[in-house]
Amino acid sequence: MRILNYGSLNIDETYAVPHFVQAGETLAPTAFARNTGGKGLNQSVALSRAGAKVYHAGCIGADGEFLTDFLTAAGVDCRFVRRVDTPTGRAIIQVVPAGQNCILLYGGANQAQREGDMRETLSHFDAGDVLLLQNEINGIDFLVREAHARGMRVALNPSPFDEGLLALPTEAIDYLILNEVEAAAMSGKEEPAAALRALRARYPHANVLLTLGSQGSLYSGREGDFAQQAYRVRAVDTTGAGDTFTGYFLASVSAGMPVPQAMELSARAAAVAVTRNGAAVAIPTPAEIAAFQF
Ligand code: RIB
């Protein structure tokens, strides 16, 4: 079983700020860093760190070679990353001292996926392989339908949410991994447990994992219903915490780990990640998680 992650690759430009910039304000950041990012790239790194065999597919421009260098060094197979004549995706991220962020996202090359390329990439995968998707590239609808027709299992992280996701074929989704904001938008229910029930009803074959930040996570699926608390740590940067959780969880359950253990490991991984600056660079290895004093 292989995991194909068809997803974004971004250059993250992160500014540490005393508060999020206001309309009309000019604000001097206290620190700046340029790093690897994108929900797709981050999740590939987490999958690989968690032990999965992962192939990343997507598009970069001429300025994005360091992103595939980083993925390759992390053990991710990048043969399906294509070069296009468009600047690489870019995220301008403000991080405040408590660790929260806000993000300005330029899609760039992430929005340049072509149907022929997507079909060719999927032709290398078979029934039983997993396709993981977020919502930072174009072509999601095409990828879901083609992968489902090939018998692949589809894991969807509908992030960031947009209305187009509601038109995806519901029977084609095998895993839905999302936060409370996305769950409310996808289900029409604000309360997490009600959203979880509504999503299980709407996506008949999907196992649903709902992440709730400091409130932990909830799961409802074939194996039953489970809850996991979040680990308390001193957060410096929460960018990529959800990606860390998603990658660790999907790699773990795909390798046969029982869901409650996978949720606990993923919660630990995300907790370690938020104690570090950056997105992909903050994702810990299993050894680093084991060594962390919670
Ligand atoms: O989930 C975090 C990611 O969102 C960042 O790395 C940034 O690139 C944005 O896509």
Side-chain angles (χ1 to χ4, degrees):
M1 191 277 304
R2 299 165 297 170
I3 299 178
L4 170 64
N5 182 12
Y6 223 120
S8 58
L9 303 104
N10 291 339
I11 300 171
D12 281 4
E13 296 187 339
T14 301
Y15 299 86
V17 289
H19 58 262
F20 297 132
V21 70
Q22 307 290 301
E25 180 184 21
T26 299
L27 184 62
T30 55
F32 167 74
R34 185 172 181 272
N35 244 314
T36 50
K39 294 183 196 306
L41 181 150
N42 299 338
Q43 291 180 22
S44 280
V45 172
L47 284 160
S48 185
R49 297 235 195 283
K53 176 67 186 158
V54 52
Y55 295 79
H56 192 98
C59 292
I60 54 172
D63 52 347
E65 289 300 329
F66 77 100
L67 301 178
T68 49
D69 292 346
F70 182 87
L71 279 174
T72 302
V76 176
D77 190 313
C78 290
R79 76 182 74 178
F80 302 116
V81 176
R82 291 181 166 81
R83 277 73 185 160
V84 295
D85 192 18
T86 307
T88 298
R90 199 165 292 257
I92 306 299
I93 305 174
Q94 298 176 50
V95 178
V96 293
Q100 291 103 340
N101 62 45
C102 63
I103 300 179
L104 197 61
L105 186 63
Y106 166 69
N110 294 313
Q111 297 298 324
Q113 323 292 332
R114 293 178 302 207
E115 281 194 7
D117 294 337
M118 293 188 277
R119 188 177 288 114
E120 199 282 327
T121 298
L122 289 174
S123 74
H124 296 271
F125 294 84
D126 304 313
D129 288 336
V130 174
L131 173 69
L132 171 62
L133 297 166
Q134 310 77 30
N135 194 30
E136 288 188 338
I137 63 169
N138 67 304
I140 298 294
D141 187 77
F142 179 85
L143 286 164
V144 168
R145 290 176 196 275
E146 286 281 313
H148 184 60
R150 296 187 69 80
M152 293 177 74
R153 287 179 286 157
V154 176
L156 176 66
N157 171 222
S159 181
F161 173 80
D162 70 39
E163 296 285 328
L165 294 167
L166 297 175
L168 294 175
T170 54
E171 71 285 358
I173 307 299
D174 298 287
Y175 278 99
L176 195 55
I177 305 175
L178 70 184
N179 68 24
E180 68 268 49
V181 176
E182 293 145 5
M186 302 259 317
S187 69
K189 307 278 182 201
E190 290 294 328
E191 200 270 316
L196 197 59
R197 277 195 301 278
L199 290 169
R200 281 279 277 158
R202 179 174 158 82
Y203 295 87
H205 308 306
N207 300 306
V208 183
L209 176 67
L210 177 53
T211 58
L212 303 168
S214 62
Q215 299 307 303
S217 57
L218 300 172
Y219 176 94
S220 181
R222 271 187 301 278
E223 303 81 354
D225 291 356
F226 306 103
Q228 171 65 47
Q229 293 190 335
Y231 286 88
R232 305 273 163 222
V233 291
R234 199 180 72 79
V236 299
D237 184 354
T238 57
T239 313
D243 300 328
T244 305
F245 200 112
T246 297
Y248 260 87
F249 180 79
L250 194 60
S252 302
V253 293
S254 298
M257 188 183 285
V259 169
Q261 278 104 301
M263 291 172 77
E264 191 195 2
L265 176 63
S266 307
R268 286 179 185 269
V272 176
V274 304
T275 66
R276 303 167 168 184
N277 286 308
V281 291
I283 298 170
T285 63
E288 290 170 331
I289 298 168
F292 192 86
Q293 300 291 315
F294 288 98

